[in-house]
Amino acid sequence: MNFVAAESPAFRTSLSGVPIKPLYGPADLADFSAQAEIGRPGQFPYTRGIHESMYCGRLWTIRQFAGFGRPRDTNRRFRFLLDQGQTGLSTAFDLPTLMGLDSDDPRSVGEVGRLGVAVDTIDDILALFDGVDLQKVSVSMTINAPAIVVMAFYLAAARQRGCDWRQLRGTIQNDILKEFHAQNEFVFPPEPSVRLVVDLIAFCTRYVPQWNPVSISGYHIREAGSTAQQELAFTLADGQHYVQKCLERGLSIDAFAPRLSFFFNAHNDLFEEVAKYRAARALWAEMIRDDYGAKSEASWKLRFHAQTAGCSLQAAQPEVNVVRVAYQAMAAVLGGCQSLHTNSMDETFALPSEQAVTLALRTQQVLAHETGVTNTVDPLGGSYFVESFTHKMKQDADACFRAIADQGGMIAAVENGYFRRQIADAAFEYQTAVDRSEKLVVGVNAFQQPDRDPIAVMEIDPATEPGQIGTLRAVKQNRSGADVTRSLDALRHAAEHRDNVMSSLLQAADDRATVQECVDALADVYGRFRPSAAW
Amino acid sequence: MNQPPLAQRILLAKVGLDGHDRGIKVVARGLRDAGFHVIYSGLWQSIDAVVQAAADEDVDWLGVSILNGAHMTLVPALLESLRQRELSQIGVIVGGIIPPADQAKLIELGVRGCFGPGTPLPSIVEFCNS
């Protein structure tokens, strides 16, 4: 089958279905105040970027997401990536850890160390970051339902190693709302889940001031099938909900807003993605300044990490994924990201091999040092098309905000399944458009090639699970059962009395309580959330 | 008057802990629109629960979606459980992130079809109809 690009409907709408005209000009910028909406880089509303000099001043952080096997396996991968020129760390935890289960729980069988690193106790955190200077390297941890538990383990481990918490830099995802919308790794019901997010924001604001205690994430919303517009709006609405809950807790907006960070997807449609990032910055700045009265400029600036779209990778002709990732990475950089993960070409089969992750890392290094995109600030600023698309993005997001309000607000919309339905509808619409060849995917519904030899993929050592269980049992044997019981009782007490649970979790970490023991203690008070199976 | 042919019945299930349900929900809608009777289990199902549901619902097909790397543990256990309960007539299909070498092993163990990322809906429908 031959395709003529000009005749394909795929070239007349954006990836998310927004109609695109063949030509844009001054008339497209007529119905809004270009000066007020576009502004200058480093100035409100930050459409052109949060820094005056952007990458001319400092490159984005190259931060590949990594984690598999036991802590020492991931520690080796971390050191390898740092040796290859990565500039920050990013930790993937395995599913049992993400779900608050220990490696020896029957529900963990087959999953220990498979999709990320297995962490059961503070000893695993110590092994994971062995030899890494936590006061120098910024560390990201992608975990949500048990985020506060793992953060307590991290802080207790840092304290044991003599680190000053005030020097620690990094990010913990800790964004439970997007779990209810999309990613499905939740444990407790929505309200107490958000309470834990606020506990961690409040604690870090006071004691770990350079840490980003939440990374408000659209990435997974997009991966679950949303449009770019939904990703933008749902993410900012989640951020707005956390802000409201922090204010209700008595925190002052300028105390915590500068440490809120964001995480967006970098998908295939370059201009739609750039418009999304630019609109996100402007909408957030307006919301934080005008709706919440933040006085500090640091509060207004939306900082974000981007990751190339895992769901865009194809099993057919996997080498082509390198090209997809490169263009997606360029979108993130032209959109002004602060840090970036580039996916590896083999991720439609397994976790990345060392060879594949090196190529993904090199993709960022070529972008940073060879393509010239860093030579000037916001090179797309002022483009008739980009600016009018950015404006359209803001309007579409406003319509989404109104729809959420019509549902009765964030928690009501989570509970009635609004977000899940919206995302599932968009995912189905996209897939059927691909099946009808209305959207072309190279190697899938166009330009196919017969299968060739499969590429090499990484395998997880089968000794991981028994090994990790052995370590956990040894920890349980050598700790004081009485101490653990006492610290878990204190944790339950704090949860029941609506005190911040962080200090009791720090004690539990020192006493070598496990992730699951802490999560179960919290679930005794908060209960557990069961999702509906609606599709 | 001729009775219309009975729709094929398929149970779609998520086993294990992973919450990636974009694919399985899209497949559920696609099969429904193609005339299948679709039952979706929801997340985090145990193998016992899935096999029990397949028996209770008298299904022709059981589709499991696995994106957590645990397919070589979970799928053989599922096939064995079906065998022990004399339900091997149920055709098992698997979708998700599965390396080609493992796909071949799963087919050898008795899985009828493996569908990775990028599989068009019509080809899953066609497979189950043929």
Side-chain angles (χ1 to χ4, degrees), chain A residues 95-96 99 101 107 110-111 114-115 183-184 186 222-225 311 314 348-349 424-425 428 430-431 435 444 454 530 533 535, chain B residues 16-19 21-22 25-26 28-30 32-33 40 42-44 67-70 73 97 99-100 117-122:
Chain A
L95 275 163
M99 294 300 294
L101 298 173
R107 286 165 289 182
E111 313 213 30
R114 284 268 166 196
L115 272 199
Q183 177 90 341
N184 297 320
F186 38 76
R222 190 71 182 280
E223 289 290 295
C311 66
Q314 302 300 331
T348 49
F349 301 117
D425 287 349
F428 186 66
Y430 174 77
Q431 182 60 44
D435 290 343
V444 173
R530 298 299 302 186
W535 46 278
Chain B
L17 299 174
D18 90 275
D21 59 357
R22 172 183 182 162
K25 290 196 295 196
V26 167
R29 289 192 192 196
R32 179 196 59 192
D33 289 356
Y40 170 50
L43 300 169
W44 311 333
L67 289 91
N68 59 9
T73 308
I97 304 281
T119 307
L121 281 174

Short mmCIF file of all heavy atoms in Angstrom, two decimals, chain A residues 95-96 99 101 107 110-111 114-115 183-184 186 222-225 311 314 348-349 424-425 428 430-431 435 444 454 530 533 535, chain B residues 16-19 21-22 25-26 28-30 32-33 40 42-44 67-70 73 97 99-100 117-122:
data_model
loop_
_atom_site.label_atom_id
_atom_site.label_comp_id
_atom_site.label_asym_id
_atom_site.label_seq_id
_atom_site.Cartn_x
_atom_site.Cartn_y
_atom_site.Cartn_z
N LEU A 95 6.75 -3.43 40.92
CA LEU A 95 5.32 -3.30 41.20
C LEU A 95 4.96 -3.63 42.64
O LEU A 95 4.13 -2.94 43.22
CB LEU A 95 4.50 -4.15 40.21
CG LEU A 95 4.22 -3.40 38.92
CD1 LEU A 95 3.79 -4.36 37.82
CD2 LEU A 95 3.14 -2.35 39.13
N PRO A 96 5.55 -4.69 43.24
CA PRO A 96 5.21 -4.90 44.65
C PRO A 96 5.49 -3.66 45.50
O PRO A 96 4.65 -3.24 46.31
CB PRO A 96 6.12 -6.08 45.04
CG PRO A 96 6.28 -6.85 43.76
CD PRO A 96 6.36 -5.78 42.70
N MET A 99 2.98 -0.98 44.96
CA MET A 99 1.67 -1.31 45.53
C MET A 99 1.74 -1.49 47.04
O MET A 99 0.77 -1.92 47.67
CB MET A 99 1.13 -2.58 44.87
CG MET A 99 0.80 -2.43 43.39
SD MET A 99 -0.44 -1.16 43.08
CE MET A 99 -1.87 -1.91 43.85
N LEU A 101 3.64 -3.63 48.78
CA LEU A 101 3.78 -5.04 49.18
C LEU A 101 5.25 -5.39 49.34
O LEU A 101 6.10 -4.89 48.59
CB LEU A 101 3.18 -5.97 48.12
CG LEU A 101 1.68 -5.80 47.84
CD1 LEU A 101 1.27 -6.66 46.64
CD2 LEU A 101 0.87 -6.20 49.08
N ARG A 107 1.22 -12.10 46.81
CA ARG A 107 0.78 -11.33 45.64
C ARG A 107 1.97 -10.81 44.81
O ARG A 107 1.79 -10.34 43.70
CB ARG A 107 -0.09 -10.14 46.09
CG ARG A 107 -1.48 -10.55 46.53
CD ARG A 107 -2.17 -9.43 47.29
NE ARG A 107 -1.55 -9.23 48.60
CZ ARG A 107 -1.97 -8.33 49.50
NH1 ARG A 107 -2.98 -7.54 49.21
NH2 ARG A 107 -1.38 -8.23 50.67
N GLY A 110 6.58 -13.53 41.16
CA GLY A 110 6.85 -13.31 39.74
C GLY A 110 7.14 -11.86 39.40
O GLY A 110 7.53 -11.56 38.27
N GLU A 111 6.93 -10.95 40.33
CA GLU A 111 7.04 -9.52 39.99
C GLU A 111 8.18 -8.81 40.72
O GLU A 111 8.40 -7.62 40.50
CB GLU A 111 5.72 -8.81 40.32
CG GLU A 111 4.51 -9.59 39.79
CD GLU A 111 3.37 -8.71 39.36
OE1 GLU A 111 3.63 -7.59 38.91
OE2 GLU A 111 2.22 -9.18 39.45
N ARG A 114 11.12 -6.98 38.70
CA ARG A 114 10.87 -7.16 37.25
C ARG A 114 10.75 -5.83 36.52
O ARG A 114 11.37 -5.62 35.49
CB ARG A 114 9.56 -7.93 37.04
CG ARG A 114 9.69 -9.40 37.31
CD ARG A 114 10.04 -10.14 36.04
NE ARG A 114 10.49 -11.48 36.37
CZ ARG A 114 11.15 -12.25 35.53
NH1 ARG A 114 11.46 -11.82 34.33
NH2 ARG A 114 11.54 -13.45 35.89
N LEU A 115 9.89 -4.95 37.02
CA LEU A 115 9.65 -3.69 36.31
C LEU A 115 10.43 -2.54 36.93
O LEU A 115 10.33 -1.40 36.48
CB LEU A 115 8.16 -3.31 36.38
CG LEU A 115 7.24 -3.85 35.32
CD1 LEU A 115 5.96 -3.03 35.27
CD2 LEU A 115 7.88 -3.85 33.95
N GLN A 183 -2.95 5.45 36.11
CA GLN A 183 -1.88 4.47 36.28
C GLN A 183 -2.26 3.29 37.17
O GLN A 183 -1.65 2.24 37.11
CB GLN A 183 -0.64 5.19 36.83
CG GLN A 183 0.55 4.33 37.14
CD GLN A 183 1.47 4.20 35.95
OE1 GLN A 183 1.05 4.44 34.82
NE2 GLN A 183 2.68 3.82 36.17
N ASN A 184 -3.25 3.51 38.05
CA ASN A 184 -3.85 2.41 38.82
C ASN A 184 -2.97 1.79 39.89
O ASN A 184 -3.17 0.65 40.27
CB ASN A 184 -4.35 1.30 37.89
CG ASN A 184 -5.46 1.79 36.98
OD1 ASN A 184 -6.32 2.53 37.40
ND2 ASN A 184 -5.42 1.37 35.73
N PHE A 186 -2.83 2.60 43.18
CA PHE A 186 -3.30 3.27 44.40
C PHE A 186 -3.53 2.20 45.46
O PHE A 186 -3.63 1.01 45.15
CB PHE A 186 -4.59 4.06 44.14
CG PHE A 186 -5.53 3.37 43.20
CD1 PHE A 186 -6.31 2.30 43.62
CD2 PHE A 186 -5.62 3.76 41.86
CE1 PHE A 186 -7.16 1.65 42.74
CE2 PHE A 186 -6.48 3.12 40.98
CZ PHE A 186 -7.24 2.06 41.43
N ARG A 222 -1.44 10.57 29.70
CA ARG A 222 -1.27 10.48 28.24
C ARG A 222 -1.00 9.04 27.82
O ARG A 222 -1.53 8.57 26.80
CB ARG A 222 -0.11 11.37 27.83
CG ARG A 222 0.01 11.56 26.32
CD ARG A 222 -1.12 12.43 25.82
NE ARG A 222 -1.12 12.62 24.39
CZ ARG A 222 -0.34 13.47 23.73
NH1 ARG A 222 0.51 14.23 24.39
NH2 ARG A 222 -0.43 13.59 22.42
N GLU A 223 -0.17 8.34 28.58
CA GLU A 223 0.13 6.94 28.23
C GLU A 223 -1.13 6.08 28.27
O GLU A 223 -1.25 5.11 27.53
CB GLU A 223 1.17 6.37 29.19
CG GLU A 223 2.56 6.94 28.99
CD GLU A 223 3.20 6.49 27.69
OE1 GLU A 223 3.46 5.28 27.54
OE2 GLU A 223 3.43 7.33 26.81
N ALA A 224 -2.06 6.44 29.18
CA ALA A 224 -3.30 5.67 29.28
C ALA A 224 -4.24 5.99 28.12
O ALA A 224 -5.29 5.38 27.99
CB ALA A 224 -3.99 5.95 30.61
N GLY A 225 -3.85 6.97 27.28
CA GLY A 225 -4.62 7.19 26.06
C GLY A 225 -5.27 8.54 25.93
O GLY A 225 -6.00 8.78 24.97
N CYS A 311 4.21 4.79 24.96
CA CYS A 311 3.13 4.15 24.19
C CYS A 311 3.30 4.37 22.69
O CYS A 311 2.64 3.70 21.90
CB CYS A 311 1.77 4.66 24.65
SG CYS A 311 1.49 6.41 24.31
N GLN A 314 7.01 1.12 18.96
CA GLN A 314 6.40 0.00 18.24
C GLN A 314 7.29 -1.22 18.26
O GLN A 314 8.52 -1.11 18.23
CB GLN A 314 6.12 0.41 16.78
CG GLN A 314 5.21 1.63 16.65
CD GLN A 314 3.83 1.43 17.27
OE1 GLN A 314 3.33 0.31 17.34
NE2 GLN A 314 3.23 2.51 17.74
N THR A 348 9.44 -1.85 23.96
CA THR A 348 8.20 -2.56 23.64
C THR A 348 8.35 -4.04 23.94
O THR A 348 7.41 -4.80 23.78
CB THR A 348 7.80 -2.43 22.17
OG1 THR A 348 8.94 -2.72 21.37
CG2 THR A 348 7.30 -1.05 21.85
N PHE A 349 9.54 -4.46 24.35
CA PHE A 349 9.75 -5.88 24.67
C PHE A 349 10.10 -6.11 26.13
O PHE A 349 9.73 -7.12 26.72
CB PHE A 349 10.88 -6.46 23.81
CG PHE A 349 10.62 -6.36 22.34
CD1 PHE A 349 11.45 -5.60 21.53
CD2 PHE A 349 9.54 -7.00 21.77
CE1 PHE A 349 11.21 -5.49 20.16
CE2 PHE A 349 9.29 -6.90 20.41
CZ PHE A 349 10.12 -6.14 19.60
N ALA A 424 -10.38 6.58 28.52
CA ALA A 424 -10.65 5.34 27.77
C ALA A 424 -11.29 5.65 26.42
O ALA A 424 -10.99 5.01 25.40
CB ALA A 424 -11.54 4.40 28.58
N ASP A 425 -12.18 6.64 26.39
CA ASP A 425 -12.81 7.03 25.12
C ASP A 425 -11.76 7.52 24.13
O ASP A 425 -11.76 7.15 22.95
CB ASP A 425 -13.84 8.14 25.34
CG ASP A 425 -15.11 7.65 26.03
OD1 ASP A 425 -15.27 6.41 26.14
OD2 ASP A 425 -15.92 8.49 26.45
N PHE A 428 -9.61 4.63 22.77
CA PHE A 428 -10.30 3.80 21.79
C PHE A 428 -10.41 4.54 20.45
O PHE A 428 -10.21 3.95 19.39
CB PHE A 428 -11.68 3.42 22.32
CG PHE A 428 -12.40 2.45 21.42
CD1 PHE A 428 -11.90 1.16 21.25
CD2 PHE A 428 -13.55 2.81 20.75
CE1 PHE A 428 -12.53 0.26 20.41
CE2 PHE A 428 -14.19 1.91 19.90
CZ PHE A 428 -13.69 0.63 19.74
N TYR A 430 -8.39 6.77 19.28
CA TYR A 430 -7.08 6.77 18.63
C TYR A 430 -6.81 5.42 17.96
O TYR A 430 -6.40 5.36 16.80
CB TYR A 430 -5.97 7.09 19.65
CG TYR A 430 -4.59 6.97 19.04
CD1 TYR A 430 -4.10 7.96 18.20
CD2 TYR A 430 -3.81 5.83 19.26
CE1 TYR A 430 -2.87 7.84 17.60
CE2 TYR A 430 -2.56 5.70 18.67
CZ TYR A 430 -2.09 6.70 17.84
OH TYR A 430 -0.88 6.57 17.24
N GLN A 431 -7.03 4.33 18.71
CA GLN A 431 -6.71 3.01 18.16
C GLN A 431 -7.53 2.71 16.90
O GLN A 431 -7.03 2.18 15.92
CB GLN A 431 -6.95 1.92 19.21
CG GLN A 431 -6.59 0.51 18.73
CD GLN A 431 -5.14 0.37 18.32
OE1 GLN A 431 -4.25 0.85 19.02
NE2 GLN A 431 -4.88 -0.28 17.19
N ASP A 435 -6.35 1.87 13.18
CA ASP A 435 -6.81 0.67 12.47
C ASP A 435 -7.44 1.02 11.12
O ASP A 435 -7.38 0.22 10.18
CB ASP A 435 -7.82 -0.11 13.34
CG ASP A 435 -7.15 -0.77 14.54
OD1 ASP A 435 -5.92 -0.91 14.53
OD2 ASP A 435 -7.87 -1.13 15.50
N VAL A 444 3.65 -0.05 11.13
CA VAL A 444 2.47 -0.71 11.70
C VAL A 444 1.33 -0.75 10.68
O VAL A 444 0.87 -1.82 10.30
CB VAL A 444 2.03 -0.01 13.01
CG1 VAL A 444 0.71 -0.58 13.51
CG2 VAL A 444 3.12 -0.18 14.07
N PRO A 454 14.93 -10.78 15.82
CA PRO A 454 14.59 -9.92 16.95
C PRO A 454 15.82 -9.28 17.58
O PRO A 454 16.92 -9.86 17.55
CB PRO A 454 13.92 -10.89 17.94
CG PRO A 454 14.29 -12.25 17.50
CD PRO A 454 14.64 -12.19 16.05
N ARG A 530 -11.01 0.10 46.03
CA ARG A 530 -11.19 -0.89 44.96
C ARG A 530 -11.75 -0.17 43.74
O ARG A 530 -12.81 0.45 43.81
CB ARG A 530 -12.16 -2.00 45.38
CG ARG A 530 -11.72 -2.81 46.57
CD ARG A 530 -10.42 -3.56 46.35
NE ARG A 530 -10.46 -4.48 45.22
CZ ARG A 530 -9.46 -5.32 44.91
NH1 ARG A 530 -8.35 -5.33 45.65
NH2 ARG A 530 -9.54 -6.13 43.89
N ALA A 533 -14.52 -2.01 37.45
CA ALA A 533 -13.96 -2.65 36.26
C ALA A 533 -14.61 -2.10 34.99
O ALA A 533 -14.62 -2.75 33.96
CB ALA A 533 -14.12 -4.17 36.34
N TRP A 535 -15.31 -0.34 31.53
CA TRP A 535 -14.47 -0.09 30.35
C TRP A 535 -15.31 0.55 29.27
O TRP A 535 -14.92 0.77 28.20
CB TRP A 535 -13.82 -1.38 29.84
CG TRP A 535 -14.74 -2.54 29.75
CD1 TRP A 535 -15.12 -3.36 30.78
CD2 TRP A 535 -15.43 -3.02 28.59
NE1 TRP A 535 -16.00 -4.32 30.32
CE2 TRP A 535 -16.20 -4.13 28.98
CE3 TRP A 535 -15.47 -2.61 27.26
CZ2 TRP A 535 -17.01 -4.84 28.09
CZ3 TRP A 535 -16.27 -3.31 26.36
CH2 TRP A 535 -17.04 -4.43 26.79
N GLY B 16 -1.93 -10.38 38.20
CA GLY B 16 -0.76 -9.74 38.78
C GLY B 16 -1.08 -8.32 39.20
O GLY B 16 -2.23 -7.92 39.32
N LEU B 17 -0.03 -7.53 39.40
CA LEU B 17 -0.18 -6.23 40.04
C LEU B 17 -0.23 -5.05 39.07
O LEU B 17 -0.52 -3.94 39.47
CB LEU B 17 1.01 -6.00 41.00
CG LEU B 17 1.15 -7.01 42.14
CD1 LEU B 17 2.45 -6.73 42.91
CD2 LEU B 17 -0.03 -6.93 43.08
N ASP B 18 0.09 -5.26 37.78
CA ASP B 18 0.26 -4.07 36.96
C ASP B 18 -1.08 -3.44 36.59
O ASP B 18 -2.07 -4.11 36.38
CB ASP B 18 1.14 -4.34 35.72
CG ASP B 18 0.38 -4.79 34.51
OD1 ASP B 18 0.11 -6.01 34.41
OD2 ASP B 18 0.06 -3.96 33.68
N GLY B 19 -1.08 -2.13 36.57
CA GLY B 19 -2.31 -1.38 36.36
C GLY B 19 -2.43 -0.84 34.95
O GLY B 19 -3.29 0.00 34.68
N ASP B 21 -3.96 -0.70 31.93
CA ASP B 21 -5.18 -1.31 31.39
C ASP B 21 -5.68 -0.61 30.13
O ASP B 21 -6.79 -0.85 29.67
CB ASP B 21 -6.28 -1.36 32.46
CG ASP B 21 -6.64 0.02 33.01
OD1 ASP B 21 -6.00 1.02 32.60
OD2 ASP B 21 -7.56 0.10 33.84
N ARG B 22 -4.84 0.25 29.54
CA ARG B 22 -5.25 0.91 28.30
C ARG B 22 -5.55 -0.12 27.22
O ARG B 22 -6.62 -0.09 26.60
CB ARG B 22 -4.13 1.84 27.83
CG ARG B 22 -4.39 2.41 26.44
CD ARG B 22 -3.24 3.27 25.97
NE ARG B 22 -3.52 3.84 24.66
CZ ARG B 22 -2.90 4.88 24.14
NH1 ARG B 22 -1.94 5.47 24.82
NH2 ARG B 22 -3.20 5.33 22.95
N LYS B 25 -8.63 -2.53 27.78
CA LYS B 25 -9.93 -1.87 27.66
C LYS B 25 -10.25 -1.54 26.20
O LYS B 25 -11.40 -1.63 25.78
CB LYS B 25 -9.97 -0.62 28.55
CG LYS B 25 -9.99 -1.01 30.04
CD LYS B 25 -10.42 0.12 30.97
CE LYS B 25 -9.48 1.27 31.01
NZ LYS B 25 -9.70 2.16 32.16
N VAL B 26 -9.22 -1.19 25.45
CA VAL B 26 -9.42 -0.94 24.02
C VAL B 26 -9.83 -2.25 23.32
O VAL B 26 -10.77 -2.28 22.51
CB VAL B 26 -8.15 -0.34 23.38
CG1 VAL B 26 -8.24 -0.39 21.85
CG2 VAL B 26 -7.94 1.11 23.83
N ALA B 28 -11.26 -4.78 24.70
CA ALA B 28 -12.62 -5.14 25.15
C ALA B 28 -13.67 -4.44 24.27
O ALA B 28 -14.61 -5.07 23.79
CB ALA B 28 -12.81 -4.73 26.62
N ARG B 29 -13.46 -3.16 24.03
CA ARG B 29 -14.44 -2.43 23.19
C ARG B 29 -14.43 -2.93 21.76
O ARG B 29 -15.48 -3.06 21.13
CB ARG B 29 -14.12 -0.93 23.19
CG ARG B 29 -14.40 -0.27 24.51
CD ARG B 29 -14.33 1.24 24.32
NE ARG B 29 -14.32 1.90 25.61
CZ ARG B 29 -14.57 3.19 25.78
NH1 ARG B 29 -14.84 3.96 24.75
NH2 ARG B 29 -14.54 3.73 26.97
N GLY B 30 -13.21 -3.20 21.26
CA GLY B 30 -13.10 -3.66 19.87
C GLY B 30 -13.81 -5.00 19.67
O GLY B 30 -14.53 -5.19 18.69
N ARG B 32 -16.20 -6.26 21.56
CA ARG B 32 -17.64 -6.04 21.74
C ARG B 32 -18.26 -5.51 20.44
O ARG B 32 -19.29 -6.01 19.98
CB ARG B 32 -17.90 -5.05 22.87
CG ARG B 32 -19.38 -4.77 23.09
CD ARG B 32 -19.61 -3.53 23.92
NE ARG B 32 -19.01 -2.36 23.30
CZ ARG B 32 -18.86 -1.18 23.91
NH1 ARG B 32 -19.21 -1.05 25.17
NH2 ARG B 32 -18.32 -0.16 23.28
N ASP B 33 -17.59 -4.52 19.86
CA ASP B 33 -18.12 -3.95 18.62
C ASP B 33 -18.13 -4.96 17.49
O ASP B 33 -18.90 -4.84 16.54
CB ASP B 33 -17.31 -2.71 18.21
CG ASP B 33 -17.55 -1.53 19.14
OD1 ASP B 33 -18.40 -1.66 20.06
OD2 ASP B 33 -16.87 -0.50 19.00
N TYR B 40 -14.96 -8.32 31.38
CA TYR B 40 -13.64 -7.80 31.79
C TYR B 40 -13.51 -7.92 33.31
O TYR B 40 -14.40 -7.49 34.05
CB TYR B 40 -13.47 -6.35 31.34
CG TYR B 40 -12.24 -5.67 31.93
CD1 TYR B 40 -10.99 -6.30 31.86
CD2 TYR B 40 -12.33 -4.45 32.58
CE1 TYR B 40 -9.87 -5.70 32.42
CE2 TYR B 40 -11.21 -3.85 33.13
CZ TYR B 40 -9.98 -4.48 33.05
OH TYR B 40 -8.87 -3.90 33.61
N GLY B 42 -11.35 -6.54 35.49
CA GLY B 42 -10.76 -5.51 36.36
C GLY B 42 -9.35 -5.91 36.76
O GLY B 42 -8.84 -6.97 36.36
N LEU B 43 -8.74 -5.03 37.56
CA LEU B 43 -7.31 -5.16 37.88
C LEU B 43 -7.02 -6.20 38.96
O LEU B 43 -7.91 -6.58 39.71
CB LEU B 43 -6.79 -3.81 38.38
CG LEU B 43 -6.89 -2.65 37.41
CD1 LEU B 43 -6.58 -1.34 38.12
CD2 LEU B 43 -5.93 -2.85 36.25
N TRP B 44 -5.75 -6.60 39.00
CA TRP B 44 -5.14 -7.30 40.15
C TRP B 44 -5.80 -8.66 40.44
O TRP B 44 -6.01 -9.02 41.59
CB TRP B 44 -5.24 -6.44 41.43
CG TRP B 44 -4.79 -5.04 41.28
CD1 TRP B 44 -3.90 -4.54 40.40
CD2 TRP B 44 -5.24 -3.92 42.06
NE1 TRP B 44 -3.77 -3.18 40.59
CE2 TRP B 44 -4.56 -2.78 41.60
CE3 TRP B 44 -6.15 -3.77 43.11
CZ2 TRP B 44 -4.77 -1.51 42.13
CZ3 TRP B 44 -6.35 -2.51 43.64
CH2 TRP B 44 -5.67 -1.39 43.15
N LEU B 67 1.79 -6.59 31.37
CA LEU B 67 2.86 -5.66 30.98
C LEU B 67 3.90 -5.54 32.10
O LEU B 67 4.62 -4.56 32.18
CB LEU B 67 2.29 -4.28 30.66
CG LEU B 67 1.49 -4.19 29.37
CD1 LEU B 67 0.02 -4.45 29.60
CD2 LEU B 67 1.69 -2.86 28.69
N ASN B 68 3.93 -6.53 32.98
CA ASN B 68 4.79 -6.40 34.15
C ASN B 68 6.00 -7.30 34.12
O ASN B 68 6.72 -7.42 35.11
CB ASN B 68 3.99 -6.64 35.43
CG ASN B 68 3.36 -8.01 35.44
OD1 ASN B 68 3.65 -8.84 34.59
ND2 ASN B 68 2.50 -8.25 36.40
N GLY B 69 6.23 -7.99 33.01
CA GLY B 69 7.41 -8.85 32.93
C GLY B 69 7.24 -10.18 33.65
O GLY B 69 8.15 -11.00 33.66
N ALA B 70 6.06 -10.42 34.23
CA ALA B 70 5.87 -11.66 35.01
C ALA B 70 5.16 -12.74 34.19
O ALA B 70 4.70 -13.73 34.73
CB ALA B 70 5.08 -11.35 36.27
N THR B 73 5.95 -16.42 34.63
CA THR B 73 5.49 -17.02 35.89
C THR B 73 3.98 -17.21 35.84
O THR B 73 3.46 -18.27 36.17
CB THR B 73 5.84 -16.09 37.08
OG1 THR B 73 7.22 -15.76 37.01
CG2 THR B 73 5.52 -16.76 38.41
N ILE B 97 3.52 -6.54 26.89
CA ILE B 97 4.94 -6.37 26.59
C ILE B 97 5.63 -7.72 26.81
O ILE B 97 5.94 -8.08 27.95
CB ILE B 97 5.57 -5.31 27.52
CG1 ILE B 97 4.82 -3.99 27.43
CG2 ILE B 97 7.05 -5.15 27.27
CD1 ILE B 97 5.16 -3.14 26.24
N PRO B 99 8.73 -10.26 25.22
CA PRO B 99 9.80 -10.42 24.24
C PRO B 99 9.50 -11.58 23.28
O PRO B 99 8.86 -12.56 23.67
CB PRO B 99 11.04 -10.75 25.10
CG PRO B 99 10.68 -10.35 26.48
CD PRO B 99 9.20 -10.44 26.59
N PRO B 100 9.97 -11.47 22.02
CA PRO B 100 9.66 -12.49 21.02
C PRO B 100 10.03 -13.91 21.46
O PRO B 100 9.27 -14.86 21.22
CB PRO B 100 10.50 -12.06 19.81
CG PRO B 100 10.72 -10.59 19.99
CD PRO B 100 10.71 -10.33 21.46
N PRO B 117 2.41 -4.76 21.36
CA PRO B 117 2.03 -3.37 21.05
C PRO B 117 1.93 -3.16 19.54
O PRO B 117 2.74 -3.69 18.79
CB PRO B 117 3.19 -2.55 21.61
CG PRO B 117 3.91 -3.45 22.54
CD PRO B 117 3.67 -4.84 22.07
N GLY B 118 0.93 -2.41 19.13
CA GLY B 118 0.77 -2.12 17.71
C GLY B 118 -0.13 -3.10 16.98
O GLY B 118 -0.41 -2.92 15.80
N THR B 119 -0.60 -4.14 17.68
CA THR B 119 -1.50 -5.09 17.01
C THR B 119 -2.82 -4.39 16.69
O THR B 119 -3.45 -3.83 17.59
CB THR B 119 -1.81 -6.30 17.91
OG1 THR B 119 -0.58 -6.86 18.36
CG2 THR B 119 -2.62 -7.34 17.18
N PRO B 120 -3.25 -4.40 15.42
CA PRO B 120 -4.54 -3.78 15.11
C PRO B 120 -5.70 -4.61 15.69
O PRO B 120 -5.61 -5.84 15.74
CB PRO B 120 -4.59 -3.79 13.58
CG PRO B 120 -3.26 -4.28 13.11
CD PRO B 120 -2.60 -4.98 14.25
N LEU B 121 -6.75 -3.92 16.12
CA LEU B 121 -7.91 -4.63 16.67
C LEU B 121 -8.48 -5.67 15.70
O LEU B 121 -8.78 -6.79 16.11
CB LEU B 121 -9.01 -3.63 17.03
CG LEU B 121 -8.83 -2.87 18.34
CD1 LEU B 121 -9.91 -1.81 18.47
CD2 LEU B 121 -8.89 -3.84 19.50
N PRO B 122 -8.61 -5.32 14.42
CA PRO B 122 -9.21 -6.30 13.50
C PRO B 122 -8.43 -7.63 13.45
O PRO B 122 -9.02 -8.69 13.24
CB PRO B 122 -9.18 -5.59 12.14
CG PRO B 122 -9.17 -4.13 12.49
CD PRO B 122 -8.39 -4.03 13.76
#
